Amino acid sequence: MSFFGECKRIYSEEMKTRISPKITAQPTRGLVDEKIYIRVSNLIPNEKITLRCLLLSEDNDFWHAYGLYISDDKGVVNVAEDVCLGGSYTGTEPNGLIWSLKPVPGSRPALRLRKHNVFTPFLLNISVHKGHINGDFKDASSLALTVIERWYISPGVSRVEISENYIHGTLFLPPGPGPFPGILDLWGGGGGLVEYRAALLASHGYASLALEYMSTQNTSINVNNIGIEYFEAAIHFLKSHPRVSSEQVGIFGLSFGTSVALNIAAKGNRISPRCLVCISGSHAVKINGTIGDVFTNLKEEGGKIMVDENNHFIWKELILPRLADPSKKVKVGNIKCPLLLIAGNDDQNWPTVDSARDMENMMKAAGNEHLLTTLIYPKTGHLIEPPYSPHTRFSNFISAFNQEKVVVLWGGQPKEHSFAQEDSWEKILHFLYHHLYSSSIGLSKL
Amino acid sequence: MDEPFQLEVACLPPHCPVTLRSTLCSEGNDLWESFSHYVSDERGRVNVSKDDSLGGSYIGCEPMGLLWSLRLAVGGRQNIRLRKKNMQTPLVVDISLFDGHTIDNFNTQTALAMTTMERWYMAPGVRRIEVRENGVVGTLFIPPGPGPFPALLDVWGLAGFMEHRAALLASRGYACLALAYINHPELQLGSGMGISYFQESWKLLQSVPQVSADRLGLLGSCFGAAIFILMASELPDISPRCLVAINSPSGLLNPGEGNYLEKLQRLLPETKLDANGHFMIKDAILAFGIDLERSLQAGGIQCPVLLIVGEDDQCVPSLESAQKLEAQMRAVGKGHLVTKLSYPEAGHLIEPPYHPVMRSSSFILPGQTVTLLWGGVGKPHAAAQEDSWRRILEFLDKHL
């Protein structure tokens, strides 16, 4: 019998007599931003094992992550406390099996993991394998397996499609009669209707409107017809919704969405948000006419577009020259509400750190810097998503403005970027709670 | 379903009286509800895991009180047990917050806030397989993964067939066959009641590929447990690694009595009603030739036995039976195999944790519907459910 065959025979004899390893993962069903606790027991003491997390995305790609561990004297591996010796991550990383998820070898290139349907969970298969496996799981059978569900929406949250008064989006309402604080949730230049963050915010008690403002399919939303008034109408819609507390409406933006938020807040009219969360954006994008004009201008003025050694596009210098020109920047000195600014210093897509510094200076000069809290994270890229989304350093991007298909470099390193997502989200929830709940009268929260 | 939850209320004014109300709509479309009174602290918060309830369906610090004190709402059907038939969907519990200390008319008030909780019997990845083979009727739950898994046969009492405990056990890592033997539409009357039926079930479970054939156990309540005790004691081809019996009337069965249904049918006409109109089965059992002397000899059991007893069991003489069984095993030098957990003020229906506690409910017998008194008092019974489940899981973990 060949050596390999002999090994297999020994393996199966051993399997007959040993007690099956047991793997438990908590919570079995939870929100995507909840920490996971994975424990393996009934192993042989000081046994080498590999833990693997496998997921099938809605786009039909397999994503996986794995970590190499050694059980203790009692035959137990506790991921929250033990050291991972290699694999997709190293060190003590309780949630490493999720945030280090990457497409399996052989997958299509430049993928990004995003959830389209918030009413189904991500199903994570977490398995234990004998020995230290170097990433190729084709022939590796598992010793034990468990399945957990990760949800963007908690029980009781309702989803309402909105297309009235030309606003197009999805409103997520927490359970109960309300009234709830409201959040306008804005994404960036990729366009479309992205719901998962709004669903997650509603699961934390905020009536959240995911707004579509750039669509390739919905012709009623044409960026050449939409200006700042569109977003103001969305805020007005939220404020006058029967289940929303009109005095407690804020804006949450990422990338271009941040620029929109800053433009609205600086306008200082009756549409005044209660607070702003601005991730990976810049004030050097002024919205004077239509959104279409704004995107056209982005290309036309100054700034260079670069590519890296893989031909991935680096756009962070595109609007850099504007920082020197006050007429091209939102007058953030006029902002009257608390502002949480979050950026990664390895952002290759927008000049977010330079913009943040410039905003600080402008607000200092105007005397409203007490409203500003800035969080800048090292080795963190552009796509600062809710935890524990896998870090994407680059991915396919189709601009909703001109349907160009490119691969964009977002930046960031997995471990530091994942920490930034976890840390910033905690601070975001704290910030929102402080400004939209606890400082208000008449809203109680379960 | 057996996991505790944390419930906190925030953003209230300080020292504000509030009422928390939990509601559940069962599969039978009955409304269950429970409520409790709290007062917020100086920061305007209520923490149900730490604070005392000052009144309502329960009093004192009861982190899970909003579940186990659920009872049928006034105005609807009464006297019905909470039963979940579909294991693939959760029990949905809504929890609402009201101003002040209210005791009724919740529907006319506006809640201050609300949240929703899902309680599942089946963890993700657990597989549910309906079993109809060799005359055996039941449902098999298998944990996710390659296995092989330790396994259990799970039975209930005369109420018949229920899947929820087997689903929970599979969610905790045991392949579990919920076995029907009585009161099932697909079982001919009496066909599930013979020894051969149980032998067949045992063999079937052993033959499941994901089951580790030499690590099988028996877990039963009430009448089913009595049958299991008999099997383990008398049948050499049935060798469980361990046995759990919850409120078993082991005195009711004698070895050699192949068909227990006949015995039951003789029992029923003897049964009287008490002053409240409750069907006093326990008295009938005790009066009916118990003769715990003549009852089954448990001395033949070779494996560790965990006996769970509700001392206020009004349905079967659970305490007497357990004491008898323990004595029998001690007499043959096997006393060390027996662990008896006896819970004062707990009744007959010791369910998995946080199940609503019912002191009596209606019960369908051949030819009549009666109200059975189960026994058990609110908080002590709920505590017994919680503690016994933990002890059961520890016991199974140790022996399987």
Side-chain angles (χ1 to χ4, degrees), chain A residues 15-22 24 26-29 42 123 141-149 151 154-157 174-180 433 437-440 442-446, chain B residues 3 7-12 20 45 92 95-97 110-118 120-126 143-150 172-174 212 214-215 241 397 400:
Chain A
M15 284 306 296
K16 270 192 216 143
T17 50
R18 70 181 291 176
I19 293 175
S20 294
K22 192 166 168 186
T24 53
Q26 302 275 0
T28 49
R29 292 180 173 94
N42 291 346
L123 276 176
S141 57
S142 58
L143 298 174
L145 178 115
T146 191
V147 181
I148 62 172
E149 296 178 355
W151 292 80
S154 64
V157 171
F180 307 103
Y433 178 82
Y437 261 108
S438 65
S439 55
S440 17
L443 290 178
S444 43
K445 191 171 192 288
L446 268 179
Chain B
E3 288 173 358
L7 183 63
E8 283 184 43
V9 187
C11 303
L12 290 168
L20 277 170
R45 292 176 178 227
V92 178
I95 302 186
S96 321
L97 180 75
T110 313
L112 295 176
M114 194 184 123
T115 190
T116 303
M117 194 167 50
E118 288 181 352
W120 292 80
Y121 286 106
M122 254 172 87
V126 169
F149 305 103
R172 295 282 166 213
Y174 300 93
S212 182
D214 62 345
R215 288 190 290 142
R241 278 239 191 155
D397 191 56
L400 291 180

Side-chain angles (χ1 to χ4, degrees), chain B residues 75-287:
Chain B
R77 297 193 295 171
Q78 294 298 312
N79 261 346
I80 305 166
R81 263 168 94 171
L82 182 68
R83 296 267 290 256
K84 184 106 179 52
K85 298 224 169 86
N86 183 352
M87 291 293 104
Q88 325 249 33
T89 57
L91 280 168
V92 178
V93 181
D94 289 330
I95 302 186
S96 321
L97 180 75
F98 294 91
D99 197 16
H101 285 170
T102 322
I103 59 170
D104 58 10
N105 290 326
F106 289 100
N107 293 326
T108 58
Q109 295 176 58
T110 313
L112 295 176
M114 194 184 123
T115 190
T116 303
M117 194 167 50
E118 288 181 352
R119 307 292 291 177
W120 292 80
Y121 286 106
M122 254 172 87
V126 169
R127 293 160 279 181
R128 178 185 177 274
I129 302 160
E130 289 191 7
V131 174
R132 307 284 185 270
E133 198 146 316
N134 298 340
V136 175
V137 174
T139 309
L140 179 62
F141 292 91
I142 304 184
F149 305 103
L152 290 160
L153 269 181
D154 177 288
V155 286
W156 292 83
L158 299 179
F161 180 62
M162 289 187 278
E163 293 185 5
H164 59 282
R165 189 171 57 198
L168 258 184
L169 287 163
S171 303
R172 295 282 166 213
Y174 300 93
C176 195
L177 175 58
L179 186 65
Y181 67 97
I182 192 174
N183 246 346
H184 194 283
E186 288 176 59
L187 268 179
Q188 275 183 317
L189 194 65
S191 70
M193 297 289 280
I195 281 202
S196 56
Y197 181 78
F198 290 90
Q199 283 171 315
E200 201 58 53
S201 315
W202 178 265
K203 281 207 302 250
L204 185 71
L205 186 57
Q206 277 185 316
S207 70
V208 173
Q210 290 93 343
V211 164
S212 182
D214 62 345
R215 288 190 290 142
L216 261 63
L218 297 171
L219 192 151
S221 292
C222 186
F223 199 72
I227 298 181
F228 276 172
I229 290 173
L230 189 70
M231 278 165 62
S233 181
E234 300 293 322
L235 303 176
D237 57 339
I238 297 206
S239 50
R241 278 239 191 155
C242 62
L243 188 153
V244 178
I246 303 175
N247 285 330
S248 154
S250 47
L252 185 57
L253 299 175
N254 300 334
E257 290 190 18
N259 191 318
Y260 313 118
L261 185 63
E262 281 174 13
K263 183 150 189 184
L264 270 180
Q265 286 175 326
R266 278 182 278 149
L267 172 69
L268 292 179
E270 310 281 326
T271 312
K272 302 183 184 47
L273 301 178
D274 75 353
N276 294 320
H278 294 140
F279 200 71
M280 300 295 288
I281 274 209
K282 179 176 176 180
D283 288 352
I285 294 177
L286 279 172

Side-chain angles (χ1 to χ4, degrees), chain A residues 357-386:
Chain A
R357 298 285 174 238
D358 193 64
M359 274 193 266
E360 271 174 8
N361 291 336
M362 286 175 75
M363 290 177 80
K364 257 196 207 108
N368 65 343
E369 82 272 20
H370 61 284
L371 294 172
L372 176 65
T373 309
T374 310
L375 301 172
I376 304 208
Y377 292 95
K379 296 194 186 169
T380 298
H382 185 71
L383 298 177
I384 302 178
E385 298 247 31

Side-chain angles (χ1 to χ4, degrees), chain A residues 45-235:
Chain A
N46 306 310
E47 180 179 5
K48 285 186 184 169
I49 55 125
T50 304
L51 271 169
R52 185 196 194 203
C53 175
L54 183 68
L55 170 158
L56 180 63
S57 73
E58 283 165 324
D59 302 317
N60 266 327
D61 300 294
F62 280 105
W63 290 63
H64 85 150
Y66 66 99
L68 310 179
Y69 290 88
I70 297 182
S71 64
D72 65 13
D73 299 330
K74 297 201 179 70
V76 170
V77 170
N78 187 339
V79 174
E81 291 168 5
D82 295 352
V83 173
C84 173
L85 303 164
S88 307
Y89 59 95
T90 54
T92 307
E93 296 291 347
N95 304 288
L97 280 170
I98 305 186
W99 60 249
S100 67
L101 281 167
K102 289 217 162 357
V104 296
S107 296
R108 307 179 288 158
L111 296 176
R112 186 175 164 192
L113 186 68
R114 302 192 91 179
K115 195 84 176 62
H116 310 301
N117 178 2
V118 298
F119 283 108
T120 59
F122 274 136
L123 276 176
L124 300 185
N125 279 28
I126 302 182
S127 52
V128 187
H129 303 260
K130 198 165 159 58
H132 282 172
I133 300 178
N134 67 356
D136 183 358
F137 288 86
K138 267 201 287 293
D139 293 322
S141 57
S142 58
L143 298 174
L145 178 115
T146 191
V147 181
I148 62 172
E149 296 178 355
R150 306 287 286 174
W151 292 80
Y152 279 96
I153 200 165
S154 64
V157 171
S158 44
R159 175 183 180 275
V160 184
E161 288 181 7
I162 307 293
S163 39
E164 59 183 70
N165 302 337
Y166 85 114
I167 300 166
H168 190 78
T170 310
L171 177 65
F172 289 94
L173 291 167
F180 307 103
I183 293 179
L184 177 64
D185 186 72
L186 301 171
W187 289 84
L193 182 52
V194 183
E195 294 188 356
Y196 57 86
R197 192 174 60 198
L200 191 57
L201 287 165
S203 305
H204 285 282
Y206 303 92
S208 303
L209 176 63
L211 186 70
E212 185 173 15
Y213 62 92
M214 279 198 291
S215 175
T216 51
Q217 283 134 353
N218 189 337
T219 49
S220 68
I221 310 188
N222 186 334
V223 290
N224 296 312
N225 294 334
I226 289 178
I228 197 85
E229 310 76 38
Y230 179 74
F231 302 93
E232 291 177 335
I235 295 183

Side-chain angles (χ1 to χ4, degrees), chain B residues 1-4 64 67-69 81-84 87 91 119-121 154-156 162-170 172 219-221 246-247 308 348-358 381-393:
Chain B
M1 184 72 186
D2 59 354
E3 288 173 358
M64 304 299 291
L67 279 184
W68 59 252
S69 69
R81 263 168 94 171
L82 182 68
R83 296 267 290 256
K84 184 106 179 52
M87 291 293 104
L91 280 168
R119 307 292 291 177
W120 292 80
Y121 286 106
D154 177 288
V155 286
W156 292 83
M162 289 187 278
E163 293 185 5
H164 59 282
R165 189 171 57 198
L168 258 184
L169 287 163
R172 295 282 166 213
L219 192 151
S221 292
I246 303 175
N247 285 330
I308 310 242
H348 183 66
L349 295 178
I350 296 183
E351 293 259 22
Y354 320 127
H355 251 250
V357 176
M358 286 204 88
H381 188 98
Q385 289 184 159
E386 196 176 341
D387 188 71
S388 62
W389 184 250
R390 185 181 55 83
R391 299 290 297 265
I392 288 171
L393 291 178

